[in-house]
Amino acid sequence: MVRDDEVGRLRERGLDVFESNGRVSFGLPCPRLGADLACEVYADRPDACARYRCGMLDEYLDGVIDLEQSAARLAEVERLLANVRAVTDSAMTIAGVRQRWRRGLADYLSGDPATAAEEQAAFLHITALCRYLDRYILSPLEQSIMRDLDHSLEPTPDPS
């Protein structure tokens, strides 16, 4: 989430700032993420990025999980991402994975499921990675945002 006093500065930095469900944020994948996956504006990054701690880090700092469990979770993310990259674009980022998952889900919910076996396999791997991230990596707030976004894809019932 973005503070109101940061909006102008972030737009100047090339970030697409928008409001959704009463929250001001910027679009992902971040356009300031370089090809090497390093932040191009790290020294002057948004406050939201500087404050960011994933749910797994919170669990570690709160003593819920230990370093070994954290490392195992990250290894599983790397394994799942490798599976995705093996059947899609080898340079796909986590944000790109999430966007592709939403497109696939929206197609499925609209009655236009992918028919190609390769696309179905990719969707399966992408779904596994997204669900793992949702469960073991994201913070409760991020989980809530993802649920809201996922539910926004569901078709509204026909009133007739």
Side-chain angles (χ1 to χ4, degrees):
M1 292 177 34
V2 174
R3 290 189 335 254
D4 291 339
D5 63 328
E6 285 190 294
V7 171
R9 181 173 66 91
L10 299 182
R11 285 191 172 133
E12 289 173 8
R13 299 257 178 299
L15 297 176
D16 181 23
V17 179
F18 60 93
E19 184 176 339
S20 176
N21 296 329
R23 299 180 189 129
V24 179
S25 56
F26 56 89
L28 295 175
C30 179
R32 303 314 307 243
L33 190 62
D36 61 354
L37 301 181
C39 177
E40 295 173 344
V41 293
Y42 187 81
D44 193 30
R45 66 193 181 278
D47 188 53
C49 298
R51 289 189 325 258
Y52 177 76
R53 290 187 351 196
C54 69
M56 186 180 71
L57 178 58
D58 285 338
E59 285 183 300
Y60 173 75
L61 294 174
D62 291 343
V64 175
I65 60 174
D66 61 22
L67 190 57
E68 187 176 303
Q69 291 167 309
S70 299
R73 285 185 184 183
L74 292 176
E76 182 64 4
V77 168
E78 289 176 0
R79 185 189 72 76
L80 292 167
L81 183 57
N83 289 346
V84 168
R85 288 177 171 166
V87 294
T88 62
D89 174 7
S90 63
M92 186 175 277
T93 64
I94 295 289
V97 167
R98 181 69 72 174
Q99 287 178 335
R100 184 153 174 191
W101 182 79
R102 283 211 176 82
R103 280 194 312 269
L105 183 61
D107 289 346
Y108 175 77
L109 292 171
S110 71
D112 185 23
T115 54
E118 297 85 19
E119 188 58 28
Q120 289 177 354
F123 186 71
L124 220 61
H125 287 298
I126 288 169
T127 299
L129 174 58
C130 288
R131 290 304 174 216
Y132 190 86
L133 291 169
D134 292 350
R135 166 110 197 220
Y136 295 108
I137 306 297
L138 299 183
S139 70
L141 175 61
E142 290 170 311
Q143 291 171 9
S144 171
I145 291 168
M146 290 302 141
R147 273 192 304 276
D148 290 348
L149 289 171
D150 296 348
H151 290 302
S152 72
L153 296 173
E154 295 176 3
T156 55
D158 188 353
S160 58

